[in-house]
Amino acid sequence: MIRRQIPNLITLGNLFCGVESLFASLALDDVRMAAIWICAGIFLDFFDGLAARLLKVPSELGKQLDSLADVVTSGVAPAFLMFRLVEVPLKEAYPLWVVILCMLPFLLMPLFAAYRLAKFNIDTRQSHSFLGLPVPANALVWVGLALSGIAATNLYLGVAMAVVALAVNILMVSEVPMFSLKFNFKEMGWRHNTVPYLFLIGCVALVVVSRQWYAISLIILWYIVLSLITQRRHAQ
C-alpha cells in the first residue's frame, strides 16, 4: 500500500507547488518565487509517472490526480503569474477595456488547460507523441518571462504577450502533432532519434546565445516550431 501511494504523494507535491505559486503571486506579489514554484511542480510532474512505472503501480486514480494537479500548477498558477506581469503595469497607463483585452487570453488559460487535460485522459492516440501542446509547456513559456523580469511595461508588449497566450491556448486543445522527447534507447543513432537530437541542439544554442532565463520561453517556442516542421514524423 505504501509503494502504491508514492507516485500519488509526488503528484500531491506538484499540486502543493501550484498552490504555493498562487500564494506568491497574490499575497506576496513575488513573481520570481511564483515562477520557481511552478518549475518545482513541473519537475515533480515528470517524476510521478516515472515513479509509477518503475514501481509498477500505475492507476486510474493517479492519472486523474495528475490532471487535477496540472490544472492548478500549469493552468491557474501561470494565469495569476501573468496577471502580475501584464495587468498591474498596464492599468496605471491605459483604459480598463485595453487592460481587459490584453488579459483575456490569460484569464481563459485555466479553461483551455482543463479542457486539454480532460481530452488527453480519454485520448488513446497519445501514447508515443502528443496531439496539442502539453499543459506544462504552456506554463514554461511564462515562467521564462517571469524569471527574466519581463513585464508588459507598454501596450506593445502587452498585446504581444496576449497574442502569444492566445496562440498557446489554441495549441493546447488543437490536433497538431507534437513530438515526445522519448529516445529510442535501443537505437541511439541519429536516424532513429532525429527530432529529439535536433531539439536538444536547438536548446543548447538558445541557452548559449541568450544566457538569460527567457531562454526557457524560447525553448518552448522552438519545440512548437520543430513539431510543426516535423509533424509527419510523429503524427499518429
Side-chain angles (χ1 to χ4, degrees):
M1 289 296 295
I2 295 176
R3 186 178 67 175
R4 184 175 295 275
Q5 294 304 321
I6 290 176
N8 293 337
L9 290 174
I10 297 175
T11 304
L12 289 174
N14 172 17
L15 178 58
F16 175 80
C17 290
V19 173
E20 287 300 310
S21 175
L22 289 170
F23 180 77
S25 293
L26 297 176
L28 303 180
D29 193 16
D30 189 339
V31 293
R32 290 183 63 86
M33 183 56 64
I36 290 171
W37 278 114
I38 291 174
C39 286
I42 293 174
F43 178 80
L44 292 175
D45 181 46
F46 174 80
F47 281 103
D48 58 1
L50 180 62
R53 290 191 293 272
L54 291 176
L55 296 173
K56 298 180 180 180
V57 289
S59 67
E60 187 62 28
L61 172 63
K63 181 179 179 180
Q64 301 302 324
L65 187 61
D66 181 75
S67 292
L68 292 172
D70 281 349
V71 168
V72 177
T73 303
S74 297
V76 180
F80 278 90
L81 174 67
M82 295 310 295
F83 172 83
R84 290 297 182 187
L85 293 177
V86 176
E87 193 270 351
V88 173
L90 289 182
K91 72 177 183 180
E92 298 178 357
Y94 299 97
L96 179 60
W97 67 271
V98 173
V99 178
I100 292 175
L101 284 178
C102 289
M103 278 303 302
L104 188 58
F106 298 104
L107 296 175
L108 295 176
M109 188 182 296
L111 281 66
F112 279 87
Y115 185 87
R116 189 280 179 316
L117 289 164
K119 179 182 176 183
F120 180 83
N121 280 353
I122 61 174
D123 194 337
T124 58
R125 299 172 294 168
Q126 305 189 56
S127 57
H128 299 291
S129 60
F130 302 107
L131 292 177
L133 186 70
V135 174
N138 157 70
L140 289 174
V141 172
W142 314 112
V143 162
L145 297 183
L147 291 175
S148 299
I150 298 176
T153 52
N154 58 64
L155 186 56
Y156 297 107
L157 274 174
V159 171
M161 289 179 179
V163 170
V164 173
L166 180 61
V168 171
N169 285 346
I170 294 172
L171 280 172
M172 279 195 288
V173 299
S174 71
E175 292 284 314
V176 176
M178 299 278 175
F179 68 88
S180 170
L181 281 175
K182 294 178 181 178
F183 278 85
N184 184 346
F185 290 104
K186 295 181 180 180
E187 297 286 348
M188 291 297 292
W190 178 271
R191 179 181 176 185
H192 295 88
N193 297 283
T194 304
V195 176
Y197 278 136
L198 284 174
F199 176 69
L200 292 177
I201 292 171
C203 290
V204 172
L206 288 170
V207 171
V208 170
V209 171
S210 66
R211 298 183 181 181
Q212 298 290 335
W213 284 109
Y214 62 75
I216 298 173
S217 308
L218 296 177
I219 285 171
I220 301 303
L221 295 180
W222 166 233
Y223 170 74
I224 294 171
V225 170
L226 187 59
S227 291
L228 294 175
I229 294 173
T230 63
Q231 59 179 309
R232 286 187 179 182
R233 284 179 172 267
H234 45 267
Q236 294 189 353

